[in-house]
Amino acid sequence: MWYWLFKYVLLGPLLALIGRPKVEGLENIPDDGPMILASNHLAVMDSFYLPLVVRRRITFLAKSEYFTGKGVKGWFTRWFYTAVGQVPIDRTDADTAQAALRTAERLLAEGKLLGIYPEGTRSPDGRLYKGKTGLARVALHTGVPVIPVAMIGTNVVNPPGTKMLRFARVTVRFGKPMDFSRFEGMADNRFIERAITDEVIYELMRLTGQEYVDIYAASVKNAASHGESEAGRPAQPSARIPETAAG
């Protein structure tokens, strides 16, 4: 209930006024059945504008920090993310990564739309960063197609490091479903997982027009927090399957 109240009454109208979202390719999302939405990640508002423009309910695998805060603010944040149906994921070790996979499999088995950010965290500078292979692992284990989603302008509405929203134009662009059934039976092959992830990131680069950086966004953030310099090198992700993986 809260999900639809936030979308149509409490938050949705205000966000629509501020961001005036333009939607392209919405017909690529089926009316029912499981599907993975793989989006670039520019701002916190990505998780608000994407559900706003999609008729069906979207469930995100949210980072556990949203559910573990202290005090009144922590309670409100935990209540909010729970109320809108987000699922907390503890990403600290391999066991919890397996738990995340099981959670994703359960949600997709229930026919839901699952939202995933392949970069793993928000872009620190508006560029597109190397994808983590969790997305590919879910796709391989479930056989569910992936729809690439380009979020454009959300970092203008909600600039990184700020809490105030600004008037700007948000564009949400949906690509055509990407079917990876040709890799059936090859789950847990790290070469295949990397190839699939790069293929999705390549499509996101094409849809968003972002410059690609061949390192993880989290590495850049960690380097910045330690006062180090790690700008990354521009490159195009490989969209081909490594020969050793293709057999």
Side-chain angles (χ1 to χ4, degrees), residues 37-231:
L37 301 182
S39 172
N40 64 321
H41 201 9
L42 294 173
V44 172
M45 284 294 107
D46 294 329
S47 297
F48 292 82
Y49 277 101
L50 181 51
L52 180 65
V53 303
V54 175
R55 290 185 292 271
R56 295 176 58 187
R57 178 170 179 160
I58 302 173
T59 299
F60 289 94
L61 299 181
K63 62 183 181 180
S64 59
E65 290 89 332
Y66 290 145
F67 299 83
T68 57
K70 304 296 183 182
V72 175
K73 180 180 178 180
W75 174 88
F76 177 80
T77 301
R78 182 167 57 253
W79 169 81
F80 175 80
Y81 280 95
T82 301
V84 296
Q86 308 310 288
V87 178
I89 296 298
D90 186 343
R91 305 168 295 175
T92 55
D93 57 40
D95 290 338
T96 51
Q98 186 62 31
L101 174 60
R102 288 195 297 269
T103 300
E105 290 178 334
R106 174 179 59 80
L107 294 170
L108 292 169
E110 295 171 358
K112 295 183 178 180
L113 284 180
L114 178 65
I116 295 179
Y117 297 114
E119 294 168 276
T121 188
R122 294 188 300 276
S123 170
D125 54 19
R127 296 185 292 177
L128 184 68
Y129 283 81
K130 185 176 182 178
K132 297 190 174 183
T133 57
L135 162 69
R137 198 167 298 120
V138 172
L140 286 169
H141 276 266
T142 63
V144 173
V146 176
I147 295 180
V149 184
M151 304 298 297
I152 302 170
T154 49
N155 57 335
V156 180
V157 169
N158 174 211
T162 67
K163 296 182 180 180
M164 296 297 294
L165 301 184
R166 303 176 182 179
F167 288 95
R169 187 66 183 270
V170 170
T171 297
V172 185
R173 183 175 295 140
F174 298 93
K176 294 186 179 300
M178 304 176 72
D179 181 8
F180 298 108
S181 59
R182 65 188 184 275
F183 300 120
E184 184 177 358
M186 303 179 76
D188 300 318
N189 182 311
R190 62 189 181 91
F191 295 106
I192 295 296
E193 291 174 354
R194 171 47 56 193
I196 289 175
T197 303
D198 284 351
E199 191 173 335
V200 173
I201 291 292
Y202 185 91
E203 186 63 13
L204 288 177
M205 182 178 67
R206 189 186 69 81
L207 290 170
T208 64
Q210 289 173 279
E211 176 187 355
Y212 176 72
V213 184
D214 197 30
I215 56 176
Y216 294 114
S219 298
V220 175
K221 291 184 176 181
N222 289 337
S225 67
H226 290 87
E228 301 171 4
S229 175
E230 187 171 359

Side-chain angles (χ1 to χ4, degrees), residues 14-38:
L14 176 61
L15 293 177
L17 176 64
I18 293 174
R20 298 173 294 131
K22 176 184 177 183
V23 186
E24 301 174 7
L26 190 59
E27 67 278 4
N28 291 322
I29 298 181
D31 293 333
D32 52 42
M35 194 69 66
I36 300 169
L37 301 182

